[in-house]
């Protein structure tokens, strides 16, 4: 694997009107890395992730994907997004489609695969997340954890180079959190590049190769999980993690 | 056969003498209502979709100006046709076209045109509401797998919006069945016009309009039942079959990953 950065963020800022949410963010993602972004609610984690997928347009700065600045207006956002998957807190499965069609529609419409290939591919990923028996169900008939696993399968079926998770377990009860994190652990072991915004500290410590701690729109500290969770240098990081480390 | 004395007898008499006229009138009413509603829905979808095209600062200035002008014209269309009575519009368009433009439209064309364009104005707002009612998360989910705006609309948003506005489409159809009667002012021989003719000829207003009321009600009630059944069909079954042949498969929601996997190579 080349050590070229998949993603490089340079001086990224984002403001909604006068309210500055992100200030001068810099960080890089190498292939196969699992980057966990942690921090208090409102610290800008989700906005950062949404900027990476262009669901929000950065106010200034660069988001370099293989060296190309995708924040540039000339770049085709749709084709970039088809290579970088995203999993949302509220699942966002298509309510008008069955589980199987949710995982096929992107392959057929965006990647222009034929139906049979798309179906086989979708089945393989649904199998992987343990949702293969449910292909005929509509999203409204599933539990939260099941929906999130389908959402992960849908993102994987596009065979993305990188997968973004925006608080994937925040809307789930503890048992469902377990089933979703199990799937994500498997993906991490298989070497998929992931950026995960999460409040699951134990998961972040165990799975990530890189941890970013954010507070008030800036990156306060980043590094190896052992360092961030074991010996945080920054005062804010220590305060944020104090409850977790004691408990 | 002379006119019977009692009420039911008179109704029987009218039906035997003018039954086919009533049926023809009812048929024309339905034809105008159905065609008008269908074309109106198409107009409504087109207008509603254009009105919900997102424009942001990052779009080209030409595109923004063009869209702005189109949206303004469509807004005027919606407001004018929603804000004036269909009966007045019928007179205005039918006689105006021949007086001002020398365009003598056929009575059928006028009927379809007026009902369609009226329904379109109402449907435009309904469709806009239907599109806005869909959770923005659906759009984000579609964008996140690389769909364009058009693909998102066709595959994700419109099917859901259509389902949500089905009751309103049904409403429009029923309103149109009843409101075609205002077209009698320009001489469309639909159910109301027929009834008025029959009533006036034999001086049997109560009996003739009793028949008309029953026919109108049967038409609207049948349509509302059919549309309700269609809605249920769109919703699909409440249950789903598990796609597994192994009856011992673990299907309770948890899935175990403890078994060794073969994928490592």
């Amino acid at each position: 694997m080349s050590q070229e950065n998949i993603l490089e963020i340079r001086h990224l800022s984002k403001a909604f009107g006068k309210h500055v949410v992100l200030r001068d963010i810099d960080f890089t993602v190498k292939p196969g890395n699992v980057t966990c972004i942690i921090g208090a609610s409102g610290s800008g984690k989700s906005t950062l992730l949404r900027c990476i997928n262009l669901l929000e347009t950065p106010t200034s700065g660069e988001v370099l994907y293989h060296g190309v600045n995708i924040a540039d207006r000339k770049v085709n956002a749709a084709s970039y997004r088809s290579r970088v998957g995203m999993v949302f807190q509220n699942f966002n499965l298509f309510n008008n489609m069955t589980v199987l069609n949710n995982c096929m529609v992107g392959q057929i419409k965006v990647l222009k695969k034929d139906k049979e290939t798309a179906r086989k591919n979708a089945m393989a990923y649904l199998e992987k997340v343990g949702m293969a028996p449910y292909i005929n169900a509509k999203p409204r008939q599933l539990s939260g954890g099941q929906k999130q696993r389908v959402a992960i399968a849908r993102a994987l079926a596009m065979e993305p180079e990188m997968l973004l998770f925006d608080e994937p377990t925040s809307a789930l009860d503890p048992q469902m959190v377990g089933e979703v994190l199990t799937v994500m652990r498997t993906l991490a072991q298989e070497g998929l590049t992931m950026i995960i915004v999460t409040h699951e500290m134990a998961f972040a410590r165990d799975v990530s190769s890189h941890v970013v701690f954010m507070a008030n729109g800036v990156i306060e500290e980043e590094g190896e999980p052992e360092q961030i969770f074991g010996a945080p240098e920054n005062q804010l990081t220590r305060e944020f993690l104090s409850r977790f480390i004691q408990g | 056969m002379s006119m019977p004395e009692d009420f039911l007898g008179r109704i029987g008499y009218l039906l035997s003498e003018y039954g086919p006229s009533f049926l023809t009138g009812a048929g024309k009413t339905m034809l105008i209502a159905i065609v008008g509603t269908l074309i109106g829905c198409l107009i409504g979808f087109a207008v509603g979709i254009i009105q919900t095209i997102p424009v942001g600062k990052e779009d080209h200035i030409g595109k923004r100006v063009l869209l702005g002008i189109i949206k303004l014209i469509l807004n005027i269309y919606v407001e004018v046709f929603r804000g004036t009575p269909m009966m007045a519009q019928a007179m205005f368009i039918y006689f105006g076209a021949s007086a001002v433009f020398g365009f003598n439209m056929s009575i059928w064309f006028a009927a379809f045109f007026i009902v369609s364009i009226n329904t379109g104005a109402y449907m435009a707002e309904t469709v806009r509401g239907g599109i806005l009612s869909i959770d923005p998360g659906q759009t984000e989910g579609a964008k996140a797998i690389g769909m364009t705006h058009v693909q998102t609309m066709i595959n994700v948003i419109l099917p859901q919006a259509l389902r949500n506005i089905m009751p309103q489409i049904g409403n429009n159809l029923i309103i149109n069945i009843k409101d075609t009667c205002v077209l009698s002012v320009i001489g469309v021989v639909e159910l109301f016009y027929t009834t008025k003719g029959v009533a006036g000829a034999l001086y049997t207003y109560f009996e003739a309009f009793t028949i008309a009321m029953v026919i109108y009600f049967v038409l609207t009630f049948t349509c509302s039942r059919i549309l309700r059944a269609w809605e249920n069909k769109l919703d699909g079954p409440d249950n789903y079959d598990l796609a597994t042949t192994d009856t011992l498969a673990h299907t309770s929601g948890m899935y175990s990953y403890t078994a060794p996997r073969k994928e490592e190579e």
Side-chain angles (χ1 to χ4, degrees):
Chain A
M1 229 181 239
S2 93
Q3 276 304 296
E4 179 209 0
N5 295 327
I6 288 193
L7 192 76
E8 192 173 344
I9 293 174
R10 283 195 201 147
H11 308 298
L12 181 91
S13 295
K14 172 69 186 175
F16 294 105
K18 281 184 182 160
H19 179 52
V20 181
V21 182
L22 295 175
R23 241 179 245 124
D24 204 20
I25 301 284
D26 282 281
F27 82 96
T28 55
V29 176
K30 289 191 163 50
N33 267 15
V34 176
T35 308
C36 280
I37 306 178
I38 59 172
S41 297
S43 57
K45 311 180 298 292
S46 290
T47 309
L48 173 58
L49 205 64
R50 292 167 64 83
C51 281
I52 294 174
N53 208 19
L54 296 184
L55 289 173
E56 304 287 354
T57 318
T59 312
S60 65
E62 290 178 323
V63 179
L64 300 174
Y65 175 71
H66 290 296
V68 180
N69 182 19
I70 49 109
D72 190 327
R73 281 170 206 174
K74 290 184 205 92
V75 172
N76 183 342
S79 101
Y80 161 70
R81 288 199 194 102
S82 71
R83 279 174 286 159
V84 176
M86 179 135 175
V87 175
F88 299 87
Q89 180 175 358
N90 296 317
F91 329 124
N92 294 347
L93 291 178
F94 306 135
N95 295 326
N96 56 323
M97 300 177 199
T98 61
V99 164
L100 182 61
N101 281 338
N102 260 286
C103 299
M104 284 170 66
V105 65
Q107 299 183 61
I108 294 170
K109 302 290 175 187
V110 178
L111 302 180
K112 311 291 179 199
K113 287 189 187 172
D114 67 85
K115 249 189 166 160
E116 203 35 53
T117 318
R119 191 190 148 82
K120 273 192 196 133
N121 202 25
M123 284 308 297
Y125 286 108
L126 283 168
E127 192 84 46
K128 180 177 214 141
V129 300
M131 287 301 291
Y134 296 88
I135 51 171
N136 298 322
K138 288 274 183 80
R140 66 184 149 92
Q141 295 160 327
L142 302 177
S143 73
Q146 292 175 326
K147 283 187 206 172
Q148 196 59 295
R149 286 187 282 152
V150 173
I152 293 173
R154 175 176 75 178
L156 289 173
M158 299 295 289
E159 292 176 337
E161 201 184 352
M162 179 167 73
L163 201 46
L164 313 176
F165 291 81
D166 187 6
E167 301 192 23
T169 57
S170 297
L172 305 175
D173 72 33
Q175 181 188 353
M176 294 173 181
V177 168
E179 55 187 87
V180 170
L181 291 186
T182 311
V183 170
M184 290 169 66
R185 251 176 243 272
T186 315
L187 296 176
Q189 280 158 14
E190 288 171 11
L192 180 69
T193 311
M194 301 196 276
I195 304 178
I196 305 167
V197 169
T198 185
H199 291 299
E200 298 290 331
M201 294 305 147
F203 174 79
R205 182 192 56 200
D206 298 346
V207 171
S208 57
S209 42
H210 194 76
V211 177
V212 174
F213 171 71
M214 285 182 72
N216 302 318
V218 292
I219 293 178
E220 290 287 352
E221 188 167 2
E222 61 177 313
E224 309 264 303
E226 294 78 19
Q227 186 250 310
I228 298 282
F229 288 100
E233 285 162 10
N234 189 297
Q235 180 59 28
L236 288 169
T237 319
R238 270 203 294 273
E239 277 169 26
F240 179 74
L241 290 175
S242 61
R243 202 174 308 150
F244 170 71
I245 291 171
Q246 283 164 9
Chain B
M1 185 178 164
S2 69
M3 181 89 80
E5 290 295 307
D6 62 314
F7 177 68
L8 287 178
R10 282 167 185 255
I11 284 184
Y13 177 75
L14 286 188
L15 283 177
S16 66
E17 291 288 304
Y18 295 105
S21 304
F22 278 114
L23 285 183
T24 316
K28 284 185 181 173
T29 288
M30 280 310 287
L31 184 62
I32 296 170
I34 290 173
V35 172
T37 308
L38 283 180
I39 299 176
C41 282
L42 294 180
I43 296 174
F45 265 93
V47 174
I49 289 167
I50 293 171
Q51 280 178 333
T52 48
I53 294 176
V55 267
K57 273 182 255 164
E58 67 276 9
D59 285 311
H60 191 262
I61 181 82
K63 184 185 163 192
R64 278 157 64 193
V65 170
L66 184 70
L67 256 176
I69 294 171
I70 294 175
K71 283 183 182 179
L72 179 69
I73 294 171
L74 293 177
N75 263 330
I76 294 172
Y77 155 68
V78 170
E79 293 300 338
V80 166
F81 279 88
R82 274 200 319 176
T84 53
M86 192 158 94
M87 204 180 221
Q89 289 165 20
M91 303 286 258
F92 180 79
I93 291 171
Y94 184 63
F95 296 113
S98 80
V100 180
F101 300 108
F103 171 51
N104 290 313
M105 52 176 81
S106 80
I107 205 102
W108 277 103
F109 178 82
F112 289 137
F113 182 75
I114 291 159
V115 176
S116 304
I117 205 150
N118 231 285
T119 312
Y122 280 97
M123 283 302 299
E125 286 298 282
T126 306
V127 171
R128 199 172 66 87
I131 292 172
L132 294 180
S133 75
I134 305 301
D135 174 18
Q138 297 284 305
T139 310
E140 289 188 352
K143 275 186 176 174
I145 56 170
M147 284 196 193
T148 61
H149 176 70
V150 176
Q151 286 171 332
T152 305
M153 285 305 268
I154 293 174
N155 296 296
V156 179
I157 305 299
L158 287 180
Q160 295 182 50
L162 177 68
R163 168 62 193 89
N164 286 354
I165 64 174
M166 275 295 287
Q168 196 52 38
I169 293 177
N171 236 347
N172 264 310
L173 177 62
I174 284 165
I175 289 171
N176 281 342
I177 292 173
K178 297 183 299 171
D179 280 6
T180 47
C181 71
V182 308
L183 295 172
S184 61
V185 297
I186 57 167
V188 181
V189 190
E190 38 64 66
L191 184 56
F192 181 81
Y193 196 99
T194 311
T195 313
K196 229 170 73 174
V198 171
L202 299 173
Y203 211 68
T204 50
Y205 280 91
F206 186 37
E207 293 79 1
F209 278 100
T210 303
I211 295 172
M213 290 281 282
V214 170
I215 295 177
Y216 272 122
F217 184 76
V218 168
L219 294 180
T220 54
F221 189 70
T222 313
C223 285
S224 77
R225 291 293 111 179
I226 291 173
L227 285 164
R228 183 63 60 83
W230 190 20
E231 268 177 42
N232 288 337
K233 194 159 172 262
L234 278 182
D235 284 344
D238 282 339
N239 305 314
Y240 56 89
D241 293 325
L242 287 173
T244 172
T245 49
D246 180 1
T247 49
L248 296 175
H250 198 88
T251 53
S252 63
M254 279 294 285
Y255 189 83
S256 170
Y257 282 92
T258 46
R261 300 180 69 84
K262 289 186 281 187
E263 278 155 30
E264 282 94 24
E265 286 178 8

